[in-house]
Each structure stands twice: as C-alpha cells, then as structure tokens.
Amino acid sequence: MGNTRILRCIAIFLFSIIYVSLAKRDEAQQQQHPPRRHHESSSTKKKCPQQQQMHNKFHQRLFHNRRHTQQAYRMAVLSYFAYFEFHKIAELPQHCRGFQLVQDSTSTRDVITDALLHGNIALSDLMEAQNMTNTRQSDFNNPKRYSFQYSLYNWKESGVAKVRFHDTDMLLSTSNNGKELVIAFGGTASAGDLSTNLQTFESANHSSFFQGDGIEGSLHRGFLNAYSRVDEGYILPLGNASHSMPLLRDIHDLFTKCEEKVRKKRKNNNSTTPQISGLMLTTEIYEGSSKNRNNTSTNNDKEKRRSRGCHLKRIKLSDILRQIVIDALQKGLTVHVVGHSLGGALATLLAGDVIVNHPSVSVKKLHVWVYGSPQIADDTFLRSAMNAAPRLKKFLRGTGRFNRFVTLSNRCKVDAIVDVTKAALSERKKLGGVHGSVVHFAEPRYLLTDAQSSAAAHELDQYLNSLAETKSKDPLAIDLPSLDLSQCVRESNASSSKK
C-alpha cells in the first residue's frame, strides 16, 4: 500500500512536469508564429492596455503560483483585522481568535483529483495535504492557521498635549507552529491618521533615523514619525500568552510589568473596580451605536468604552517592534510585515529600519506585503540607501520578499492612493525639501477589480476579493464566520443563548 502511494505521487509529479513543459512550448510557438486575426472584436479593442499588460506579465508570474497567492491572501486578511478595534469588546470566542484558509483543510483525495483534472499540482502541496484531516480539532493544530496575539493601538507622541498627530495601530499574530510572526499595521481610520497622511516631506538627514554613510534625499515626515517617534499607547493581549512564547517573550514581559504597575496603583488607591489580570474589563460588548444605549446609564457606557489595554508611556513603539523582529529573525523564524494604505507605508519603514540600520541581522526570512501603499521617499533617498546598504537593493529587486499590490479596474482605474504623494508634491513646488522624484520602492503587482472609481479601488475589500478570485475554480476563503469580528462575537453569543 505504501509503495502504491509513492508510485502514485511520482506519477503525478512527472505528469505535472510534462504538462508545464508542453504549455511553455505551445506558448513559445505562438510567440514565434502568431495566428492571423481576420477581425478584432469590439471587446478586444476596448480592453485596457494596462490590464492587458498585467495579464501578459504579472498574472503569469504571480497567480500561477498557488502557494504565493494563498500567502498574499492570508496577509491581506491580517491587514484587514489590523483595523479592528479589539479593545472595544469584552472577549473574543476561541474560534474567533485566529483563522486559516478553508483550502488548507483539503484532503489528499481532493489534491489528487485537482491534479488529474487540471494538472496544477506541487509536490509540497501533496505532502502537506497528506498530514491534514478535516476535523475541527486538527484545524487548530494546522501550521497555516494564524492566531491573534497582541493588539497595539492608539500610539501617539507623548510630548504633544492636545493635538494628536498620529494614531498608530497594529496587530501581532503568530502561526500555530510557532515558526511565523506577522506584524500587521492598520491604515487610515481616525483624525490622527489623517494628520499623519497630510504631513509633508523632510530631509533624511534631519531625523537621522536611517544610519549609514551618504544617505540623502527626503522621507515623508508623517509616515516616519508615526513609526519612529510615537512613544505612548496601549497594549492588549488577545490570545493564549503561553502559546506565543518564546516568540513574543519581550512584549509579554513588557505587558506583565505594565500589569503589575496597574495592580499596585489600584491597591494603593483602594480601588473597588473589578479586575481581571490587572485590567479594566467589561462583560458587555461595545456595539458602537448610540441607538442601543440607555441615556440613563451614561457612566456605565463610559466604563464600556474605557480602554481594556495597558497604558504605556515613554517607550518608543519602533524600539518594541524592531526588537521583536530582530529576535525572531535571529532565531530563524519567518517574519511578515504587512499593511494596507498608511499601514503599508509603516510596514515598509519597519523593514527598512532592520535592513539598513542593523546590517548584522540576516533578513533572508523577512517578507513585506503592502496593499495600496503610498510613496514614502524620493529616488535620491532610495538610491543612497541602497548604496549604503547593498542588501536593500537585493531585497527589493527580484527576490519575491517585497510584494507591492495595486488594484486595477477594467476601466484603467488604478488605486488612487498609491500615487497621491507624488501628485501632492509636484516637481514645481518642491514642498518639504524633496530632492528628487517621489517613487515607490518596487514595481507593482496588479490585481483585477471591478471598482468603478480609483477611490473605490483603494478599499481593502477590493484587494481581498481580487486575490480570492484569482482561484476562480475554488475561490480563497477563511474559516471565520465573518471578517467583521464584532459580528462573529454577536453570532457566538446568540448561539450560546439558544443553548
């Protein structure tokens, strides 16, 4: 029986190689001898040139890689959850504290059937499927299941009393096998985030954040400060702390110390407030709608809205995140830094911080995934940074570790935010001391969308749907009841009340 299974795997593997070879040969023959076209349909004439280019170039390079597409979708999902306000709910049910792709529960029989019918099979996919079953218990042990661990939110500059220039949020997650760490930054969701976006450029020498000989050019002041200067915010544990150890030992110790200070302070003040793990917790879910509140319970509503996280001061967020990433990389773990919109800009800065400022740390297992991210620097800075840190160029060019996604509609409407920085800082005005042209760090990978406008194309839902539909035969999906975790909590409470 064992020999039969091995022979079957070898046959499928050889079949896939032959199939791919024949497909490439046919494609080469078509390029050398293109067929004659007697007439051209009206739909072909109206096709967007950029969309045609995406089909010819990026589609073959990215979306024929099944595993890469799935990983891009997972990271987009975590970017989505980075927006979620975890501190406004009392507690997440166990099944809502993480997710996995539904396709990750595929049986060996399904993989073999897919290979025989369509020829798209990787031997690694087959070996992975052999170790999986379709039971709910095994799903929680799946190494491709990501669990939420910590939420860091509302980080700002402590020196500014009344004006909030920044509001940096992020979500820290780990894979269940403890080999992957994901830091997902949230995008624009508040007035503080909007203030971050509206700030202009400043000279890279002004902040002296990026160290190295000859680094020049300009950086977006708002994005840089939202990462490097915020030093006051909240930290909230979401999952099982022991499960994430030792991957997040530093941040767990930081939370524990903060927790002890809160407990001592309340003990000295003879506080009678109920405490769980030293935090102010609530037993009701914060719905966020004034229609559901009773006007006579104003004080109770304030208690529900009070932050559940532990408040930290005089500690830079960049120091926390940098140390987490460096420790994970030095232990041989894979680190994903992801974000949408503003979050993508912050993710790029975190990766650049480690690559440029810490040359002794290996970044072979560092990956960046950004969706609809704006420009953060000019070409003078990028060129000088690559000269000061040659491995930055290798990281950005052709390694597959820096992944920048941009949505593109069938009306040639590209995500409006990806070039908003360049549009705001024209060559004539030279606002903020821009030394060169504002540029992106890498070429885009286009995602088809049916958005009717460039503004609508920027929505993260468009990125999720586009990635999911790249597998039209079996669209990508996760096992959570809903991407809206507050809805997930309400469904859980409703089901428990019925019992």
Side-chain angles (χ1 to χ4, degrees):
M1 186 66 182
N3 294 333
T4 304
R5 178 175 297 179
I6 294 174
L7 292 175
R8 185 180 300 175
C9 294
I10 295 175
I12 294 173
F13 181 65
L14 294 175
F15 174 82
S16 63
I17 294 177
I18 296 172
Y19 178 87
V20 173
S21 300
L22 292 175
K24 290 184 177 180
R25 187 193 65 179
D26 294 340
E27 182 180 355
Q29 290 178 353
Q30 290 179 2
Q31 291 178 355
Q32 294 177 0
H33 305 286
R36 294 181 179 179
R37 295 192 300 176
H38 298 285
H39 64 277
E40 189 176 24
S41 63
S42 58
S43 61
T44 304
K45 291 181 180 179
K46 295 181 179 179
K47 196 162 188 177
C48 172
Q50 291 173 283
Q51 195 176 42
Q52 182 67 47
Q53 180 186 10
M54 192 283 290
H55 273 294
N56 295 338
K57 185 177 180 181
F58 297 107
H59 188 79
Q60 294 181 2
R61 188 176 70 181
L62 173 65
F63 298 126
H64 288 178
N65 187 336
R66 176 171 177 259
R67 297 175 66 84
H68 194 105
T69 308
Q70 289 181 337
Q71 192 67 2
Y73 184 76
R74 293 185 186 99
M75 297 301 105
V77 170
L78 287 168
S79 297
Y80 192 100
F81 287 135
Y83 282 93
F84 188 76
E85 296 177 304
F86 289 92
H87 57 282
K88 288 187 177 180
I89 63 175
E91 186 178 3
L92 280 174
Q94 180 64 33
H95 69 283
C96 293
R97 295 181 185 178
F99 75 94
Q100 70 179 28
L101 292 186
V102 175
Q103 286 79 359
D104 285 341
S105 297
T106 304
S107 64
T108 307
R109 179 179 299 177
D110 294 334
V111 174
I112 295 175
T113 302
D114 182 63
L116 295 176
L117 293 179
H118 304 282
N120 50 348
I121 177 64
L123 186 61
S124 57
D125 291 337
L126 181 62
M127 300 303 295
E128 182 178 336
Q130 288 178 341
N131 297 325
M132 294 182 184
T133 62
N134 290 321
T135 61
R136 184 65 181 172
Q137 183 63 31
S138 67
D139 289 346
F140 282 97
N141 297 326
N142 187 349
K144 287 300 180 182
R145 179 178 178 85
Y146 291 91
S147 299
F148 311 138
Q149 299 297 345
Y150 284 93
S151 172
L152 284 77
Y153 61 95
N154 296 154
W155 281 78
K156 63 177 183 177
E157 292 185 57
S158 58
V160 183
K162 296 183 179 180
V163 180
R164 180 185 288 270
F165 288 109
H166 309 292
D167 187 9
T168 305
D169 305 322
M170 75 211 60
L171 172 66
L172 271 63
S173 306
T174 58
S175 62
N176 277 20
N177 61 1
K179 295 182 179 181
E180 295 183 50
L181 168 68
V182 184
I183 301 178
F185 289 89
T188 303
S190 66
D193 293 328
L194 183 61
S195 174
T196 298
N197 296 332
L198 294 178
Q199 295 183 45
T200 184
F201 275 50
E202 69 176 6
S203 174
N205 296 327
H206 180 266
S207 62
S208 299
F209 181 78
F210 285 98
Q211 305 168 7
D213 297 333
I215 292 184
E216 301 174 344
S218 301
L219 289 162
H220 191 285
R221 177 185 301 168
F223 301 152
L224 179 61
N225 292 348
Y227 166 68
S228 64
R229 295 187 61 175
V230 290
D231 57 356
E232 178 182 352
Y234 294 87
I235 177 174
L236 174 68
L238 302 174
N240 184 3
S242 61
H243 175 76
S244 63
M245 297 295 109
L247 190 59
L248 298 175
R249 184 181 304 277
D250 290 338
I251 195 168
H252 178 69
D253 293 342
L254 186 66
F255 173 76
T256 302
K257 292 179 182 179
C258 179
E259 192 179 32
E260 292 175 355
K261 290 181 180 180
V262 173
R263 186 181 293 109
K264 291 180 180 179
K265 183 177 180 181
R266 287 180 177 163
K267 184 178 180 180
N268 295 334
N269 295 337
N270 296 324
S271 173
T272 58
T273 305
Q275 298 180 34
I276 299 179
S277 299
L279 299 179
M280 181 88 66
L281 298 181
T282 62
T283 57
E284 299 181 38
I285 300 173
Y286 174 63
E287 300 291 346
S289 173
S290 58
K291 296 181 181 179
N292 298 327
R293 303 178 200 160
N294 188 341
N295 294 332
T296 60
S297 58
T298 305
N299 293 332
N300 292 335
D301 288 334
K302 290 182 179 179
E303 286 295 315
K304 284 195 293 183
R305 291 197 301 271
R306 185 172 296 179
S307 166
R308 288 181 54 220
C310 199
H311 190 195
L312 299 175
K313 290 184 178 181
R314 293 182 295 277
I315 177 170
K316 287 189 176 181
L317 179 63
S318 58
D319 294 339
I320 298 174
L321 299 179
R322 184 192 308 112
Q323 192 60 47
I324 292 174
V325 172
I326 290 177
D327 288 346
L329 292 174
Q330 289 178 339
K331 293 174 183 177
L333 306 178
T334 300
V335 178
H336 303 277
V337 186
V338 306
H340 168 254
S341 188
L342 168 61
L346 299 177
T348 304
L349 285 169
L350 173 56
D353 182 9
V354 176
I355 295 172
V356 177
N357 294 336
H358 300 273
S360 62
V361 179
S362 174
V363 292
K364 292 182 178 180
K365 292 190 175 183
L366 176 64
H367 300 265
V368 178
W369 309 78
V370 295
Y371 308 86
S373 173
Q375 298 106 326
I376 67 170
D378 59 16
D379 57 352
T380 304
F381 169 82
L382 180 59
R383 186 168 52 252
S384 62
M386 289 191 295
N387 291 333
R391 65 177 185 166
L392 176 62
K393 183 177 181 179
K394 183 178 180 180
F395 184 86
L396 297 175
R397 307 285 193 259
T399 61
R401 288 180 288 160
F402 190 94
N403 304 276
R404 184 171 79 89
F405 296 91
V406 176
T407 47
L408 175 68
S409 72
N410 51 12
R411 296 185 178 184
C412 290
K413 298 293 185 181
V414 183
D415 185 339
I417 301 301
V418 295
D419 289 325
V420 67
T421 308
K422 184 176 181 179
L425 300 175
S426 64
E427 289 294 330
R428 293 174 297 175
K429 293 182 179 179
K430 297 287 184 182
L431 295 177
V434 178
H435 293 77
S437 300
V438 180
V439 295
H440 286 286
F441 281 16
E443 292 295 322
R445 295 185 175 183
Y446 290 108
L447 299 173
L448 293 181
T449 177
D450 56 358
Q452 299 299 314
S453 65
S454 57
H458 181 64
E459 296 177 0
L460 187 50
D461 287 335
Q462 297 292 337
Y463 285 88
L464 285 167
N465 294 336
S466 298
L467 284 168
E469 292 171 1
T470 56
K471 294 293 181 184
S472 57
K473 179 182 68 65
D474 189 17
L476 298 174
I478 61 174
D479 62 347
L480 274 178
S482 172
L483 280 175
D484 183 2
L485 288 182
S486 59
Q487 182 68 27
C488 170
V489 175
R490 284 193 286 268
E491 290 177 0
S492 176
N493 289 345
S495 60
S496 62
S497 62
K498 290 180 182 179
K499 295 180 182 179

